[in-house]
Amino acid sequence: MHGANCGEVAGKKAEVCRDLEENMRRELNKVRKPMEEAYHVFEKCLKEGVQTSKTSCDKTLKSILHPRKMRNGGFHRTLKSVVENGGVYKPKKGKQININMKLASYLTNSIDEEFRKTFPNEVKCGPFNGVIDTFSLDTDKLIQKYKDVGLQLNFLKTEEDKIQAKLNKIIQRRKKSIYNSLTEKIVEIMEESYKKAAEFRGKGSLEKMRRTIATHVHENIIMFEEAKDVMLNQLNYLKEDILEILEGTMRESIELSLKTDDNSVPDVPTELEMVKKYYDELKDNPDGETSLLG
């Protein structure tokens, strides 16, 4: 990890930069650790989910393709609708049929509880055990220690709040697509069999539809593994993005508030005025873009 490039600055600013750098390293690790732990827990759950999906495959197919309480005539029409509609049938009354969700159900069930813990809907505890909300470069303590640069440190404190809100929004938006990625992979792999099954006409077509779907599932049994990998990759991307945004934004803010070039005297009024302007702008507009980030 590179040091925050604060230039040849006055001793006071250099010290603040060094302290911030240490705090940054410590805090990024504090954020990284629970995200990595969550990844491993999901990996373990999904491995079990894959196993169950494979061993229960015939049972699942039977429940989809040979439902009780439905005579072949009625089911023929229903299955036709299912395959013509990408594996999903939504009747006006009664229960929806969704082959993709049914096939993915052992995977989604395996992670449901963990997912709720990792990405809670309640605001009081943020995602990943609230690590985003507790991220702090300890500016409050530093303000006591380095009173001369209080204004710059206040600006950083505001930046911290802003980045936390931004990251929580990103996670909120992406958690849905992470969860849905399991079923989406199944949809993608099953699509071909639905198209094929939809083409059968006339006598014996119900059996042909059934056979086409069942054969396709058996031939593509790896889809459960692939769905697991897709979701784990998405979790990993989320972790990388969070760390990158967090580090990049805070580093940039440290540079903006504490960097001076060789010729200037630190804390010159114009520099302080600029920081104050940004600080006020952020305070008035915590969620919006500012000229500082534009």
Side-chain angles (χ1 to χ4, degrees), residues 61-67 70-90 97-99 190 193-200 204-214:
L61 281 170
K62 190 170 183 232
S63 74
I64 293 167
L65 300 173
H66 297 271
M70 206 181 264
R71 285 197 304 277
N72 276 352
F75 185 61
H76 182 276
R77 276 193 304 278
T78 301
L79 192 58
K80 192 82 177 153
S81 297
V82 169
V83 296
E84 282 172 350
N85 198 30
V88 186
Y89 172 59
K90 297 176 185 169
I97 296 173
N98 188 327
I99 297 183
M190 289 302 295
S193 73
Y194 302 140
K195 282 183 178 159
K196 213 164 148 190
E199 285 167 12
F200 295 119
S205 58
L206 173 61
E207 272 319 306
K208 285 175 187 162
M209 284 194 282
R210 281 174 169 151
R211 203 174 316 127
T212 301
I213 292 165

Side-chain angles (χ1 to χ4, degrees), residues 61-179:
L61 281 170
K62 190 170 183 232
S63 74
I64 293 167
L65 300 173
H66 297 271
R68 291 179 310 203
K69 299 187 207 158
M70 206 181 264
R71 285 197 304 277
N72 276 352
F75 185 61
H76 182 276
R77 276 193 304 278
T78 301
L79 192 58
K80 192 82 177 153
S81 297
V82 169
V83 296
E84 282 172 350
N85 198 30
V88 186
Y89 172 59
K90 297 176 185 169
K92 286 192 176 71
K93 277 190 291 195
K95 225 170 133 194
Q96 156 176 325
I97 296 173
N98 188 327
I99 297 183
N100 311 307
M101 278 174 81
K102 194 104 181 182
L103 287 169
S105 63
Y106 289 109
L107 291 174
T108 51
N109 290 347
S110 75
I111 59 153
D112 274 350
E113 196 184 331
E114 195 53 41
F115 205 87
R116 274 192 293 272
K117 267 194 267 177
T118 307
F119 302 104
N121 288 327
E122 311 82 62
V123 181
K124 63 178 181 289
C125 179
F128 301 107
N129 289 330
V131 283
I132 305 293
D133 299 331
T134 52
F135 174 87
S136 171
L137 298 179
D138 246 354
T139 39
D140 290 340
K141 265 193 200 154
L142 292 175
I143 288 168
Q144 301 306 313
K145 195 171 165 187
Y146 304 107
K147 293 195 168 60
D148 299 2
V149 285
L151 187 58
Q152 289 93 323
L153 290 166
N154 260 322
F155 159 74
L156 286 177
K157 175 82 190 120
T158 314
E159 268 291 74
E160 242 167 52
D161 298 339
K162 195 163 175 270
I163 194 68
Q164 285 167 340
K166 181 183 174 179
L167 288 173
N168 279 324
K169 269 186 195 159
I170 289 172
I171 295 169
Q172 201 58 25
R173 205 172 52 235
R174 277 172 61 175
K175 74 174 194 183
K176 199 174 171 192
S177 60
I178 290 171
Y179 187 85

